[in-house]
């Protein structure tokens, strides 16, 4: 019989080899997959999208800007551009490239798929927000128009994606943006944030760091040099203009100013009670519906009833039943604390 | 259909209205329904003037879910269930074996031969099919008829959701769903049932994880294997008075290893092929309801008995027939079974098992229940034991522990073999019914293959490393 | 036990169970189809077992039943087919785990829907009850777990409740068989039309929503005059319910108008 030491040695080498091939992402298979992702047709589609974005922002697109945006060599970009010109999707105008009518249609279709897919991820899967964009970037090249229509149908033909961006319709109509950019906001109005651009990523990250989310109530918006000062859900926030320019809000006609930042369900200590004020917009899709089904609606009185062995989840008494929720969910439910004495009245 | 959906005027109007109303329809609707519900309930229900203090429920909740007592109590409950099962099953097991194997079998043989059955027919029917079924019943029925009623009482009492409540943090960290604890618990009865139960998990990703890892819940067909091997090899390492306790401890150990593997595998899956972060989780903790103990015991006992008997008929009959044929079909003086055993042997020894055990696991793909009977039968055959059983392909009578041990010793078993068998019984492919259920529930060949082969490969690796380290250490 | 002729039953409630013949899985030729719906863990399967004599698994945790089960019983000379459904919190949600129940209640068109509610948590159970009453005219509320309600010293005025909801309400403790007699009686009355339900209807507070629902409901009623729950359909279509959209697009909705239907709801899995 083989000496156990050698047997172990061989097995360990074997395992390392297997790991090298199959390890997700970094393994051989992962690399091959990634290589596929930079195939020609994907690059071509990305060029169209790049042109569309630039045209929307009145920027000009050159060979170099495209090569830079796609992170591929100029030679390859030149080849791809030539192909696109042949098929009539883009044209050269003076010194820069523009989309033809078909090219624009094509780009809009991709944007439609991208945004639909993000909405699908947000509504019907547990994929976290940070990963939507990456998933959608892959999906937009893979999903066929028929599949896209099926997704749209299933979602009830939505018009806005989870960031509040309009989704182009199947025949290329772009629904209007709602509300106003924060940079144009009238100082005395109270409003609600309805759209946050998720690109460029660094700006989006600033917005997220400030904990600005869809559905938040804003008031007392003032411009001070390069900054916008405002009160968001009762909390003072200072936003760089570049970030404020990526946020839209709609005017709320009858809204009371929010004076204190509300507590979260998660803040209730064992035995404490609170009354639900609102559910964050970050509770979406089936998750939001499930919570409402369980009786978490504005006005409901909830008590922290039981803490689990590891501290998370916590069971809350909601309309007579103990319902266990994880902290991540309890963090998205705004409440007003009632204190433990409230018990007698409930 | 999609095209007509686009052209339908009702749907178009609905879309239009939806866009106009904005995204708060559902919220306001739910609020309206609950307001109505609350008003109607308020009119119908009169609360007691002073709230009855249900101290007992509160106390239990604290005890079962608090940081310091939650897990120890869980462990204690598990231990008691297995201790009761192991000590309680011994006696009825003996009775059933006495009746079915020692008394009825010889009688059937003699009777059949005396009315003129040819030897092969009587052998095929009674040494093959009948004995296999008799065996399965005597090994399986008593422990399962004790274990499951106890389990059902816990279930009816309301303990399972508390376990899920406590374990959720671990499931969350492994990227899985907290309700997987419940499907795991259902898997303790039968993996196929556990897999159907995964329907309570809403997120497809987490449901797949729960399906793939359900196999790490020891099922009805595997508990008795664990119990038997633990009693024979581990319970006997200590003085008899402690035997039951130590055996129970080792079975609980294996079960907990299964839980640990569930976490590890879930973690691994949700970081590789099933990438994603855990979705939401909401679980209603029902109030404790005092179970109707006698009724539960009775129905659960009847249910289990029927289940075991049914499986014995469906799976043990054909398996017994097959074994008998393999043992009696000879090629140049060596039986087919022996060829196969020799063929499996080198690999079996490498992972601390042997050809007999591997062949038994192949034969037992349809049902885990027949593993132990098959192993015993094949061992006798390959070790050419005399004085045991009545000949090739006969599952012989073993009325007490010593007889079992003699067989295993003849087969070259050591403590290490026993340990590896326990591990392999925990981590190997699901049975055929379970595989079929996985296919039906996932509708995907790929995931069915993954759920089938992932555990086998893991089992091979686990037993391999345990074996080689064991050998290395015993060389030092 | 032979079922008695119908005439006897109204006057002798004490002997109802004597007329109950548990048919188990024998469901050949049934007169009425009865669905058991309700929140999870309210005792639906226990009621099912009490009526059919079968042994559906029950357990004290939400989600024990995940597939639909069928059984039969005969009462007052009629044969009933009983369908035990998985528990569901709402008909408005989109979660896949509750799909079987939702689809059956919406598209299965049972003759009577028995809503099994937990008497100790009436408010949250009424949420589903009210939703079910939006789509069916024939329902009975089984107020189960009354023994638990007593333990909590809750008093429930089932008459007021019945008046408010417009359907019969039967207090019961299914596990010990209390209330099953009366439940049978009421099911029979509603199924045979002796009792006509006047179900409570939700009033949508949001007036824009009310207007939108009215507008679409009118359109639906124009196209399918026999549909009686157009309001609900309108609401669901506005919400974008994928299954209902499919039914409208594929014309399946036309099949929902007939009073009694052989039903084959979309089934997932087993
Ligand atoms: N005390 C008491 N317990 C009951 C009664 N009816 C049912 N139960 C218990 O309540 C628990 C739930 O019963 P089930 O019949 O499984 O409930 P279900 O509605 O079918 O649950 P799901 O299938 O999960 O939706 C079981 O443990 C029953 O024994 C009753 O009248 N009184
Ligand atoms: Mg049930």
């Amino acid at each position: 019989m083989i000496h156990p030491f050698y047997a172990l040695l061989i097995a360990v080498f074997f395992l390392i080899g297997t790991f090298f091939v199959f390890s997700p992402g970094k393994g051989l298979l992962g690399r091959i997959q990634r290589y596929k992702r930079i195939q020609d047709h994907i690059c071509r589609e990305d060029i169209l999208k790049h042109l569309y974005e630039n045209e929307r922002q009145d920027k000009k697109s050159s060979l170099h800007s495209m090569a830079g945006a796609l992170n591929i060599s100029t030679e390859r970009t030149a080849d791809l551009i030539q192909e696109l010109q042949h098929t009539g999707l883009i044209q050269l105008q003076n010194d820069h490239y523009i989309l033809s009518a078909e090219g624009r249609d094509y780009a809009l279709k991709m944007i439609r798929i991208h945004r639909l897919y993000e909405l699908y991820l947000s509504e019907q899967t547990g994929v976290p927000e940070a990963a939507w964009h990456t998933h959608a970037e892959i999906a937009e090249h893979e999903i066929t128009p028929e599949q896209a229509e099926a997704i749209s149908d299933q979602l009830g033909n939505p018009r806005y994606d989870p960031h509040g961006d309009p989704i182009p319709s199947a025949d290329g109509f772009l629904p209007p943006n709602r509300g106003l950019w924060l940079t144009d906001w009238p100082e005395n109005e109270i409003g609600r944030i309805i759209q946050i651009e998720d690109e460029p990523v660094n700006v989006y990250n600033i917005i997220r760091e400030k904990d600005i989310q869809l559905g938040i109530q804003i008031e007392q918006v003032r411009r001070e040099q390069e900054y916008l000062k405002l009160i968001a859900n009762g909390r003072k926030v200072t936003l760089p203009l570049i970030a404020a320019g990526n946020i839209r809000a709609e005017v709320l006609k009858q809204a009371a100013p929010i004076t204190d930042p509300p507590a979260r369900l998660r803040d209730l200590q064992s035995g404490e009670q609170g009354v639900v004020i609102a559910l964050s917009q970050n509770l979406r899709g089936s998750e939001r519906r499930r919570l409402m089904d369980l009786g978490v609606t504005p006005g409901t009185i909830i008590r922290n009833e039981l803490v689990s062995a590891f501290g998370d989840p916590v069971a809350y008494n909601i309309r007579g039943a103990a319902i266990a929720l994880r902290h991540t969910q309890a963090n998205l439910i705004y409440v007003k604390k009632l204190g433990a004495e409230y018990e007698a009245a409930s | 259909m999609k095209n007509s959906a686009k052209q339908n005027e009702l749907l178009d109007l609905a879309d239009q209205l939806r866009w106009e109303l904005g995204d708060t329809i559902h919220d306001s609707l739910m609020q309206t329904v609950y307001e109505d519900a609350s008003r109607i309930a308020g009119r119908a229900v009169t609360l007691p003037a002073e709230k009855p203090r249900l101290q007992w429920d509160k106390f239990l909740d604290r005890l079962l879910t608090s940081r310091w007592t939650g897990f120890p109590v869980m462990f204690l409950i598990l231990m008691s269930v297995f201790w009761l099962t192991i000590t309680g099953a011994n006696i009825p097991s003996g009775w059933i074996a006495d009746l079915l194997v020692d008394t009825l079998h010889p009688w059937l043989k003699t009777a059949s031969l005396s009315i003129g059955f040819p030897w092969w027919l009587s052998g095929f029917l009674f040494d093959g099919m009948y004995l296999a079924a008799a065996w399965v019943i005597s090994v399986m029925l008593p422990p399962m008829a004790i274990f499951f009623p106890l389990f059902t009482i816990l279930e009816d009492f309301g303990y399972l959701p508390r376990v899920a409540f406590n374990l959720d943090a671990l499931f969350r960290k492994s990227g899985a769903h907290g309700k997987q604890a419940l499907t795991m618990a259902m898997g303790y009865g039968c993996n196929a049932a556990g897999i159907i139960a995964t329907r309570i998990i809403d997120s497809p990703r987490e449901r797949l994880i729960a399906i793939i890892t359900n196999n790490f819940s020891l099922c009805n067909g595997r508990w008795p294997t664990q119990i038997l091997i633990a009693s024979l090899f581990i319970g006997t390492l200590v003085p008899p008075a402690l035997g039951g306790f130590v055996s129970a401890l080792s079975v609980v150990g294996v079960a907990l290893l299964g839980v640990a593997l569930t976490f590890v595998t879930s973690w691994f899956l949700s970081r590789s092929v099933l990438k994603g972060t855990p979705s939401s989780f909401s679980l209603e903790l029902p109030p404790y309801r005092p179970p109707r103990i006698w009724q539960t015991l009775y129905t659960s006992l009847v249910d289990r008995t029927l289940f075991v008997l049914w499986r014995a008929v469906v799976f043990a009959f054909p398996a017994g027939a097959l074994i008998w044929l393999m043992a009696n079909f000879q090629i140049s003086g060596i039986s087919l079974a022996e060829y196969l055993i020799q063929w499996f042997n080198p690999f079996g020894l490498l992972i601390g098992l042997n050809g007999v055990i591997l062949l038994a696991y192949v034969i037992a793909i349809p049902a885990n229940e027949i593993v132990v009977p098959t192993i015993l039968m094949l061992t006798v055959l390959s070790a050419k034991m005399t004085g045991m059983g009545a000949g090739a392909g006969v599952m012989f009578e073993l009325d007490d522990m010593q007889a079992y041990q003699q067989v295993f010793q003849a087969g070259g078993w050591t403590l290490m073999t026993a340990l590896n068998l326990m591990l392999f019984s925990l981590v190997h492919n699901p049975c055929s019914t379970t595989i079929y259920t996985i296919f039906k529930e996932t509708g995907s060949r790929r995931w069915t293959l993954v759920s089938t082969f992932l555990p086998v490969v893991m089992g091979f690796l686990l037993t391999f490393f345990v074996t080689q380290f064991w050998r290395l250490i015993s060389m030092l | 036990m032979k079922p008695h002729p119908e005439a006897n039953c109204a006057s002798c409630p004490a002997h109802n169970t004597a007329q109950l013949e548990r048919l188990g899985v024998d469901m050949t030729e049934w007169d009425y189809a009865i669905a058991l719906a309700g929140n999870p863990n309210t005792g639906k399967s226990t009621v099912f077992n009490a009526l059919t004599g079968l042994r559906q698994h029950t357990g004290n945790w939400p989600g024990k039943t995940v597939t639909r089960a069928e059984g039969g019983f005969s009462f007052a000379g009629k044969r009933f087919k009983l369908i035990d459904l998985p528990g569901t919190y709402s008909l408005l949600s989109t979660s896949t785990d509750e799909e079987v129940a939702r689809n059956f209640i919406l598209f299965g068109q049972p003759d009577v829907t028995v809503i099994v509610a937990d008497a100790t948590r009436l408010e949250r159970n009424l949420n589903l009850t009210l939703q079910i009453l939006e789509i069916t005219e024939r329902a009975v509320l089984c107020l189960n777990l009354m023994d638990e309600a007593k333990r909590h010293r809750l008093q429930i005025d089932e008459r007021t409740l019945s008046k408010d909801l417009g359907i019969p309400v039967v207090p019961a403790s299914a596990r010990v068989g209390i209330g099953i007699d009366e439940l049978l009686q009421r099911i029979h009355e509603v199924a045979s039309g002796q009792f006509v339900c006047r179900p409570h209807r939700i009033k949508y507070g949001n007036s824009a929503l009310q207007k939108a629902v009215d507008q679409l409901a009118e359109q639906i009623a124009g196209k399918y005059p026999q549909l009686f729950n157009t309001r609900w359909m309108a609401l669901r279509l506005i919400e974008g319910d994928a299954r209902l959209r499919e039914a409208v697009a594929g014309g399946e909705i036309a099949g929902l108008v007939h009073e009694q239907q052989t039903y084959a709801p979309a089934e997932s899995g087993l």
Side-chain angles (χ1 to χ4, degrees):
Chain A
M1 197 185 298
I2 182 166
H3 191 283
F5 181 73
Y6 296 118
L8 282 171
L9 210 62
I10 295 169
V12 167
F13 273 118
F14 179 74
L15 280 183
I16 292 174
T18 323
F19 185 76
F20 178 72
V21 176
F22 289 101
S23 132
K26 293 189 204 78
L28 214 55
L29 289 184
R31 274 169 216 269
I32 292 173
Q33 261 177 4
R34 202 142 3 109
Y35 177 75
K36 275 202 205 136
R37 250 175 241 155
I38 47 168
Q39 282 168 350
D40 284 356
H41 87 103
I42 290 176
C43 288
R44 277 197 297 269
E45 292 186 339
D46 282 342
I47 289 178
L48 292 176
K49 250 186 24 166
H50 176 73
L51 285 176
Y52 180 86
E53 271 307 307
N54 273 359
E55 283 177 23
R56 210 173 60 87
Q57 297 171 17
D58 288 327
K59 281 198 261 175
K60 291 183 176 167
S61 315
S62 65
L63 175 63
H64 288 281
S65 81
M66 288 183 239
L70 268 70
N71 200 8
I72 53 176
S73 70
T74 36
E75 290 81 42
R76 183 141 177 245
T77 317
D79 286 346
L80 293 167
I81 288 179
Q82 216 166 21
E83 283 172 43
L84 283 169
Q85 271 180 305
H86 267 298
T87 43
L89 291 171
I90 67 174
Q91 298 157 355
L92 188 63
Q93 194 180 58
N94 303 327
D95 58 337
H96 62 273
Y97 292 95
I98 60 162
L99 289 168
S100 69
E102 296 90 70
R104 191 163 300 114
D105 263 0
Y106 198 116
L108 272 174
K109 285 219 172 77
M110 289 181 54
I111 291 172
R112 172 174 170 77
I113 297 177
H114 183 101
R115 296 191 174 161
L116 272 176
Y117 197 71
E118 283 196 332
L119 187 64
Y120 158 75
L121 291 176
S122 72
E123 292 275 320
Q124 304 198 339
T125 69
V127 175
E129 190 191 348
W132 295 342
H133 188 72
T134 350
H135 281 288
E137 285 282 290
I138 298 168
E140 67 189 12
H141 303 293
E142 287 174 355
I143 289 180
T144 64
E146 289 78 42
Q147 286 170 326
E149 288 329 297
I151 294 177
S152 171
D153 226 42
Q154 198 190 352
L155 294 170
N157 290 327
R159 300 223 292 178
Y160 297 94
D161 80 358
H163 303 292
D165 288 332
I167 301 173
S169 74
D171 36 20
F173 166 75
L174 196 64
N177 273 327
R178 301 160 300 172
L180 301 166
W181 293 115
L182 272 198
T183 40
D184 304 331
W185 192 256
E187 197 166 307
N188 294 324
E189 296 283 4
I190 295 178
R192 189 174 72 106
I193 294 179
I194 51 171
Q195 182 173 347
I196 301 176
E197 296 280 332
D198 62 329
E199 273 179 298
V201 177
N202 48 349
V203 178
Y204 186 51
N205 283 342
I206 298 177
I207 301 174
R208 290 197 352 164
E209 268 164 33
K210 302 275 176 188
D211 203 15
I212 298 289
Q213 303 160 358
L214 291 183
I216 278 184
Q217 182 169 325
I218 53 160
E219 51 209 277
Q220 299 178 35
V221 183
R222 271 179 305 119
R223 190 159 175 168
E224 273 179 21
Q225 289 146 7
E226 287 301 291
Y227 292 94
L228 207 65
K229 298 209 160 176
L230 58 122
I231 295 192
N233 264 5
R235 188 168 46 94
K236 285 202 179 111
V237 179
T238 309
L239 273 179
L241 279 189
I242 184 173
N246 273 355
I247 301 172
R248 289 179 85 94
E250 67 182 359
V251 173
L252 287 179
K253 281 280 174 290
Q254 307 143 315
I258 297 179
T259 44
D260 294 315
R264 323 256 177 146
L265 187 56
R266 156 102 166 82
D267 300 331
L268 294 185
Q269 300 301 309
S270 180
E272 270 186 328
Q273 303 199 88
V275 56
V276 177
I277 302 171
L279 279 69
S280 157
Q281 289 293 309
N282 279 3
L283 277 172
R284 299 164 191 276
S286 46
E287 194 177 348
R288 186 183 191 86
R289 283 167 187 246
R290 170 50 57 89
L291 282 172
M292 301 201 98
D293 290 343
L294 289 170
V296 184
T297 55
T300 313
I301 293 170
I302 299 186
R303 187 176 61 241
N304 176 327
E305 187 144 296
L306 192 67
V307 181
S308 68
F310 285 110
D312 177 12
V314 169
Y316 298 95
N317 188 310
I318 304 172
R319 297 185 194 258
I323 313 272
L325 298 178
R326 287 177 177 167
H327 283 346
T328 45
Q329 291 160 287
N331 249 332
L332 298 176
I333 299 169
Y334 299 114
V335 300
K336 187 162 151 275
K337 282 196 187 184
L338 295 175
E341 321 80 63
Y342 193 80
E343 196 152 316
S346 67
Chain B
M1 182 211 90
K2 288 289 165 299
N3 284 335
S4 64
K6 283 278 158 281
Q7 286 147 11
N8 194 301
E9 60 200 46
L10 288 179
L11 295 183
D12 286 349
L13 179 60
D15 284 350
Q16 196 62 44
L17 292 168
R18 182 175 330 114
W19 296 336
E20 281 165 18
L21 285 167
D23 47 13
T24 54
I25 314 172
H26 188 78
D27 288 22
S28 53
L29 178 63
M30 281 310 295
Q31 206 169 342
T32 313
V33 180
Y34 258 116
E35 271 161 19
D36 267 16
S38 165
R39 198 169 35 79
I40 296 175
R43 279 160 56 89
V45 182
T46 322
L47 295 171
E50 57 180 297
K51 262 194 190 164
R53 292 242 141 239
L54 296 173
Q55 292 294 357
W56 180 231
D57 294 31
K58 281 224 165 98
F59 168 76
L60 266 180
D61 258 338
R62 295 265 149 76
L63 181 74
L64 296 180
T65 62
S66 94
R67 169 166 309 222
W68 303 115
T69 53
F71 288 106
V73 169
M74 198 169 111
F75 181 78
L76 274 183
I77 291 178
L78 258 181
M79 271 303 288
S80 337
V81 167
F82 282 109
W83 185 79
L84 281 174
T85 307
I86 287 173
T87 44
N90 250 336
I91 301 162
S93 249
W95 289 344
I96 296 180
D98 263 351
L99 176 71
L100 293 183
V101 183
D102 295 350
T103 318
L104 219 51
H105 176 247
W107 184 84
L108 281 170
K109 284 280 287 196
T110 351
S112 67
L113 290 175
S114 72
I115 59 169
F117 274 31
W119 72 270
W120 53 267
L121 185 60
S122 130
F124 180 80
L125 286 180
F126 301 116
D127 294 344
M129 293 170 70
Y130 170 80
L131 262 185
W135 248 100
V136 168
I137 292 168
S138 64
V139 175
M140 294 289 144
L141 192 53
M144 293 304 93
I146 299 178
F147 176 70
F148 280 100
L150 292 178
F151 190 80
T152 314
I153 286 178
L154 284 178
E155 180 182 351
D156 263 353
F157 179 60
Y159 184 55
L160 295 191
R162 267 79 186 173
V163 173
F165 185 53
N166 279 338
L167 287 180
D168 176 60
L170 297 175
F171 278 110
R172 180 167 38 86
K173 285 192 186 118
S174 23
H177 199 284
K179 286 189 187 170
Q180 198 174 319
L182 294 170
T183 63
M184 215 168 76
M186 291 300 102
Y188 286 148
C190 165
N191 292 130
I195 278 153
I196 294 176
T198 60
R199 291 185 185 189
I200 57 174
I201 298 175
D202 200 19
S203 140
R205 185 188 75 87
E206 283 142 57
R207 183 164 174 222
L208 264 177
I209 293 181
I211 288 178
I212 295 172
T213 54
N214 195 272
N215 192 40
F216 297 127
S217 293
L218 284 171
C219 68
N220 161 73
R222 293 185 274 165
W223 287 118
T225 310
Q226 300 287 347
I227 290 173
L228 183 72
I229 302 295
S231 320
L232 284 182
F233 284 88
I234 298 176
T236 49
L237 293 176
V238 294
L242 286 175
F245 177 76
V246 171
S247 313
L249 199 64
S250 58
V251 174
V252 170
V254 173
L256 291 182
L257 177 68
V259 178
L261 284 174
T262 303
F263 287 130
V264 172
T265 313
S266 305
W267 184 87
F268 191 76
L269 286 172
S270 63
R271 262 155 203 76
S272 53
V273 277
L274 286 169
K275 223 187 223 128
T277 45
S279 69
S280 65
F281 161 81
S282 55
L283 175 68
E284 183 174 342
L285 301 180
Y288 298 106
R289 291 180 186 150
R292 298 220 290 162
I293 299 203
W294 292 115
Q295 198 195 5
T296 306
L297 283 180
Y298 173 75
T299 42
S300 174
L301 194 91
V302 173
D303 262 9
R304 236 349 96 171
T305 309
L306 290 178
F307 186 74
V308 171
L309 290 180
W310 176 75
R311 298 268 299 188
V313 172
V314 175
F315 294 108
F317 276 164
L322 181 72
I323 296 167
W324 189 87
L325 288 177
M326 276 184 8
N328 285 280
F329 183 77
Q330 299 201 334
I331 307 167
S332 52
I334 301 174
S335 74
L336 183 61
E338 256 172 299
Y339 269 116
L340 288 171
I341 290 170
Q342 288 315 317
W343 192 75
F344 277 118
N345 224 2
F347 183 67
L349 290 177
L350 193 66
I351 59 172
L353 301 173
N354 55 41
V356 170
I357 299 178
L358 287 185
L359 179 59
Y361 268 97
V362 173
I363 295 174
I365 286 175
N368 281 298
E369 283 90 334
I370 52 184
V371 166
V372 168
T374 312
I375 289 175
L376 288 170
M377 215 285 296
L378 292 173
T379 305
V380 175
L381 189 72
S382 69
K384 299 244 164 27
M385 290 176 77
T386 47
M388 277 282 187
V394 182
M395 294 188 174
F396 38 83
E397 42 267 39
L398 295 165
D399 31 19
D400 64 355
M401 291 285 175
Q402 254 144 38
Y404 285 109
Q405 259 172 340
Q406 268 178 297
V407 179
F408 287 131
Q409 266 156 19
W413 285 45
T414 60
L415 182 58
M416 184 188 81
T417 321
L419 182 67
N420 279 322
L421 178 62
M422 283 174 82
L423 291 178
F424 193 69
S425 151
L426 173 72
V427 196
H428 71 281
N429 57 290
C431 73
S432 58
T433 319
T434 307
I435 297 174
Y436 177 64
T437 312
I438 294 175
F439 179 67
K440 267 211 316 207
E441 291 290 309
T442 60
S444 142
R445 249 165 246 219
R446 190 168 132 219
W447 291 118
T448 311
L449 287 176
V450 170
S451 326
T452 309
F453 287 104
L454 183 74
V456 196
V457 172
M458 283 176 69
F460 285 155
L461 285 176
L462 186 67
T463 46
F464 172 82
F465 278 102
V466 167
T467 307
Q468 300 304 332
F469 274 114
W470 186 290
R471 287 191 184 141
L472 201 62
I473 287 169
S474 49
M475 274 180 179
L476 298 179
Chain C
M1 249 177 285
K2 273 262 173 309
H4 295 263
E6 205 167 308
N8 294 347
C9 71
S11 52
C12 56
H15 296 101
N16 280 340
T17 21
Q19 298 179 44
L20 169 67
E21 190 184 353
R22 299 190 170 99
L23 298 174
V25 287
D26 168 26
M27 289 168 304
T28 43
E29 296 190 11
W30 30 271
D31 300 301
Y32 302 116
I34 316 292
L36 279 171
N39 279 22
N41 204 34
T42 51
K44 295 175 294 300
S45 301
T46 312
V47 172
F48 178 87
N49 291 345
L51 289 175
T52 60
L54 289 172
R55 263 188 283 123
Q56 259 290 87
H57 288 215
T58 65
N60 190 9
W61 54 281
K64 177 78 194 186
T65 310
V66 285
T67 55
R68 186 175 111 191
E70 301 183 354
F73 65 89
S74 109
F75 176 75
K78 297 283 182 193
R79 294 169 79 85
F80 293 77
K81 166 158 150 173
L82 193 63
I83 300 110
D84 184 25
L85 294 171
T88 172
Y89 286 105
S90 164
L91 300 179
L92 292 166
S93 68
T94 46
S95 57
T96 42
D97 53 337
E98 297 181 346
E99 206 168 80
V100 178
R102 236 173 27 230
N103 283 345
F104 190 86
I105 299 168
L106 288 172
F107 301 102
Q109 292 200 297
D111 294 300
V112 181
T113 307
V114 176
I115 308 162
V116 182
D118 177 348
T120 61
R121 288 123 184 239
L122 191 57
E123 181 184 351
R124 53 172 40 256
N125 281 258
L126 284 183
N127 169 41
L128 179 73
T129 308
L130 291 180
Q131 293 180 27
I132 292 177
L133 292 187
E134 283 286 303
I135 51 172
T136 175
E137 307 244 272
R138 295 167 169 196
V140 175
L141 182 70
C142 171
L143 210 51
N144 194 26
L145 293 153
M146 281 308 282
D147 52 334
E148 288 287 309
K150 292 226 175 67
R151 194 163 77 96
H152 287 82
R153 288 202 248 132
L154 294 176
Q155 278 176 354
I156 302 181
D157 178 0
E158 69 259 12
R159 290 204 167 177
T160 313
L161 191 58
S162 169
K163 231 182 278 162
D164 280 349
L165 294 174
I167 55 169
V169 173
V170 183
S173 301
R175 202 165 64 165
V176 282
I178 295 175
I180 298 299
D181 294 351
E182 200 194 334
L183 184 62
L184 273 170
Q185 186 72 30
R186 296 288 166 265
I187 292 174
H188 181 248
E189 280 172 16
V190 172
S192 62
Q194 287 169 25
F195 185 101
V196 180
C197 301
R198 311 227 178 292
H200 172 96
R201 290 289 147 89
I202 301 164
K203 291 159 206 71
Y204 310 123
N206 184 340
S207 65
L209 178 60
Q210 180 74 59
K211 251 187 254 158
V213 169
D214 287 346
Q215 189 186 345
L216 185 58
E218 202 175 300
Q219 292 276 321
I220 298 176
K223 250 189 137 168
Y224 304 103
Q226 291 109 307
L227 277 183
F228 69 92
N229 47 10
T230 48
R231 227 169 64 110
W232 174 262
M233 299 228 167
L235 185 72
R236 294 304 292 150
L237 285 177
I238 292 177
E239 274 217 76
D241 182 308
R243 177 76 181 84
L244 195 59
R245 288 175 66 89
E246 200 177 296
V248 170
E252 191 189 335
I253 191 170
L256 295 179
V257 299
H258 305 301
E259 266 291 273
Q260 269 192 35
Q261 261 272 308
T262 42
Y263 47 87
E267 251 232 278
S268 66
L270 281 178

